[in-house]
Amino acid sequence: MNSPYALRVRDLAQRAGDMREVSVDIVVPSTLGAGLIAVRKGDQMHLDVKLEGLHEGILVSGHARAEATGGVLALPHRHQRARRCRIRRSVRV
């Protein structure tokens, strides 16, 4: 498994009714997001995942938590310079 997002599920395949909960912290391998705000490469992400074995496959559900950072360029008023401010916000996905 090369991806930090990959989980081993072989033991749940073809075992309808079996369930496993996984809680894991990973290092984000590449920037997640677009534009001015994103979860940066190297930041921490926490995953709470529930894996449920079904007859047809495996149902995966869960939550991811990470801190997204970025900047916003404030519009200048007359005779003022543009200011850059940082935004830090916890986003629940």
Side-chain angles (χ1 to χ4, degrees), residues 3 5 21 31-32 36 39-40 45 54 57-58 60 64 85 90 93:
S3 172
Y5 303 108
E21 292 182 352
T31 300
L32 297 173
L36 295 175
V39 177
R40 304 291 177 209
M45 177 181 286
L54 306 173
I58 298 170
V60 179
C85 55
S90 179
V93 179

Side-chain angles (χ1 to χ4, degrees), residues 67-79:
E67 184 176 23
T69 58
V72 175
L73 187 62
L75 296 175
H77 298 302
R78 194 178 349 165
H79 307 297

